[in-house]
Amino acid sequence: MNDQLAIHGGPKTKTTPFGTGRRFGFEEIKELAEALEQNTLFYHHGGKVKKFLEDFNSLYGVRYSVAASSGTAAIHVALGAAGVTIGDEVITSPITDQGTVVGILYQNAVPIFADLDPHTYNLDPVSVEARITDRTKAIVVVHLAGNPCDMDAIMEIAGRYNLKVIEDCAQSYLARYKGRLAGTIGDYGCFSTNDFKHISTGDGGIVTVNSGREEDFLVAHAFADKNYMRFGTDVVRHISTLAPNYRMTELQGAVGIAQLKKLPWICERRTAYGDRITAGLQGLPGIHPHRVEAGNTGTYWFYMLRVDEKELGCTRAEFSEALKAEGIPNTPGYIPDPVYMQPLFQQLSAYPGSRFPFDLNGTTYERGLCPNAELILQTAVRLSVNEFHTPQDIDDAVAAIRKVAIHYRKECLGMS
Ligand SMILES: *Cc1c(COP(=O)(O)O)cnc(C)c1O
């Protein structure tokens, strides 16, 4: 076998195109036509959003959930329903989508970032506990890339300090923590159906209300709809606190019904493919696979390995370029820097011309705040995992990673 790297003129590892497929079909069209035939697209009058939530509830084994207009909105609804308010501190992950922190800031609460486990890329419970103060009200855990976070430890800490736990499940449909579905363990589970997630309704979100108590459901439901109470005989518009309009439309609900039917298959494929990459990388020097703890099930929104630059004797950029040349698309890192390095946090400029709400408790954000998170983003290489890929695609990706890693390792040891 010619093991010269493609980037040096050797043969490319991947010579066939990656598998592709269509996410939407007649199932969605039929549901959409029915939604329009209702002659209303309002969620509370039509049947589609209701059916979408019913199906979601039975898939997840929960009694109550609320629809929202996005994943960001879903997280804001959970925070609002949890009573998060001005000056509260909410502990969360520094490697996540902006949507995780938007609702915190709109409640005029202060995001506090805890550090991560170096290989699962999820919140480290020890760091979470170290960041708790008198002002801490809630923890928003992010099950990054479909990999469940250490929920026993998080729930134990939350119980001791009387904190609410919100699970950001935007990337973690049907992921399981010790057999339990991510999103059903904390007080609220928040999902996104934006167009890039496991399932899409264009945009949309869902919040599970895990206490199973009707009063908690009504509070969360109202928070997504201007605090209107729609479940009596008349709509109650007697508003005492502020809430946004984050309603989902019947069109999104309709597409969601059809998408949800495909979700178990999508997640099974992704679990199989992600785990297949990890198995293929076993024992490879200089490469840290994406760790899913034993007993958990990851549903891989993406696969993110880490490169040990010293052990490989190449930079992350060189590794990424070489892998790309082998025919395996990949991205160095995920977000460029932890969320707290954004100008918004560096300049404390959530609201123009003001340092509110950061000035309430004097919070500032410096480089070095979460060293593991910073290092993860400097050394990670992200591969796409997709349900339409074929087992051959995965094996080609593994072969390419092995080829590139072994090449640089040998060169580093002076063996080539
Ligand atoms: C996508 C995403 C969100 C936000 O969802 P939107 O529907 O885009 O608002 C929040 N958190 C995480 C981790 C996400 O990946």
Side-chain angles (χ1 to χ4, degrees):
M1 185 183 144
N2 185 344
D3 63 359
Q4 193 179 17
L5 294 184
I7 202 167
H8 299 152
K12 238 171 128 166
T13 307
K14 181 116 185 92
T15 53
T16 55
F18 280 89
T20 56
R22 293 187 63 88
R23 307 177 77 185
F24 308 111
F26 283 116
E27 315 75 37
E28 283 79 8
I29 293 171
K30 177 175 160 288
E31 292 290 340
L32 281 167
E34 285 176 13
L36 291 164
E37 278 161 15
Q38 295 176 145
N39 210 31
T40 175
L41 294 177
F42 182 49
Y43 81 102
H44 201 65
H45 294 162
K48 293 304 182 188
V49 172
K50 288 175 191 144
K51 175 79 163 85
F52 178 38
L53 293 179
E54 259 170 46
D55 291 352
F56 190 89
N57 291 352
S58 61
L59 184 63
Y60 269 81
V62 298
R63 185 179 294 167
Y64 294 115
S65 59
V66 173
S69 52
S70 70
T72 304
I75 295 163
H76 191 183
V77 168
L79 291 159
V84 169
T85 189
I86 299 180
D88 286 345
E89 294 176 357
V90 178
I91 297 173
T92 192
S93 168
I95 299 186
T96 187
D97 181 82
Q98 182 72 3
T100 307
V101 296
V102 165
I104 301 173
L105 288 167
Y106 268 104
Q107 286 307 103
N108 297 308
V110 180
I112 301 290
F113 298 96
D115 209 357
L116 306 179
D117 177 278
H119 298 295
T120 65
Y121 322 131
N122 284 325
L123 280 174
D124 171 6
V126 174
S127 178
V128 169
E129 185 163 7
R131 305 269 150 115
I132 292 174
T133 72
D134 300 351
R135 295 177 184 251
T136 309
K137 179 74 182 233
I139 304 169
V140 179
V141 302
V142 178
H143 303 293
L144 195 76
N147 186 16
C149 145
D150 185 356
M151 288 307 288
D152 280 349
I154 296 288
M155 295 309 289
E156 189 274 324
I157 293 167
R160 235 167 343 104
Y161 292 91
N162 193 26
L163 309 175
K164 296 286 184 186
V165 175
I166 295 166
E167 295 177 73
D168 180 344
C169 300
Q171 304 182 359
S172 60
Y173 282 99
L174 300 183
R176 285 180 186 271
Y177 174 76
K178 298 186 180 176
R180 297 170 70 190
L181 284 166
T184 66
I185 302 168
D187 295 283
Y188 303 91
C190 303
F191 297 80
S192 164
T193 56
N194 86 20
D195 206 48
F196 308 99
K197 300 296 157 66
H198 291 70
I199 53 171
S200 165
T201 63
D203 268 309
I206 297 169
V207 187
T208 61
V209 181
N210 297 333
S211 70
R213 293 185 346 184
E214 189 183 16
E215 65 229 68
D216 294 335
F217 164 69
L218 293 175
V219 167
H221 189 277
F223 196 88
D225 193 358
K226 299 180 273 191
N227 268 341
Y228 287 179
M229 303 290 290
R230 295 192 186 271
F231 288 96
T233 38
D234 295 309
V235 180
V236 179
R237 295 188 171 87
H238 193 68
I239 308 300
S240 55
T241 57
L242 185 66
N245 172 356
Y246 285 154
R247 298 185 306 225
M248 180 180 274
T249 76
E250 286 290 277
L251 297 173
Q252 293 155 293
V255 173
I257 293 167
Q259 286 279 289
L260 213 48
K261 295 197 172 90
K262 304 173 185 180
L263 184 61
W265 174 80
I266 291 169
C267 291
E268 276 164 32
R269 295 313 313 150
R270 285 172 175 257
T271 298
Y273 287 165
D275 288 350
R276 193 178 178 109
I277 298 173
T278 294
L281 301 183
Q282 279 320 307
L284 192 61
I287 299 293
H288 298 287
H290 196 152
R291 183 182 297 160
V292 176
E293 296 292 355
N296 296 348
T297 307
T299 55
Y300 299 94
W301 191 52
F302 54 74
Y303 190 99
M304 193 157 82
L305 54 82
R306 284 182 69 187
V307 171
D308 184 329
E309 295 182 334
K310 271 208 193 82
E311 215 170 316
L312 285 187
C314 71
T315 65
R316 187 256 304 261
E318 286 170 321
F319 182 89
S320 166
E321 284 304 319
L323 191 57
K324 210 170 284 170
E326 295 297 333
I328 307 301
N330 68 88
T331 338
Y334 172 31
I335 50 175
D337 237 340
V339 173
Y340 57 80
M341 291 308 295
Q342 293 172 9
L344 187 160
F345 290 101
Q346 291 300 302
Q347 302 165 13
L348 310 176
S349 57
Y351 297 95
S354 162
R355 297 192 152 199
F356 192 78
F358 308 104
D359 52 3
L360 293 173
N361 59 355
T363 301
T364 57
Y365 304 87
E366 279 92 35
R367 187 167 289 286
L369 183 62
C370 300
N372 286 346
E374 293 177 14
L375 214 56
I376 289 164
L377 293 173
Q378 286 157 18
T379 57
V381 171
R382 199 157 49 99
L383 308 167
S384 81
V385 176
N386 190 286
E387 59 276 12
F388 295 118
H389 288 169
T390 65
Q392 185 63 51
D393 293 335
I394 305 306
D395 294 345
D396 290 346
V398 166
I401 296 166
R402 296 194 71 91
K403 178 182 171 188
V404 173
I406 288 168
H407 171 88
Y408 282 116
R409 176 72 180 160
K410 275 187 180 163
E411 211 173 58
C412 176
L413 296 175
M415 286 162 63
S416 64

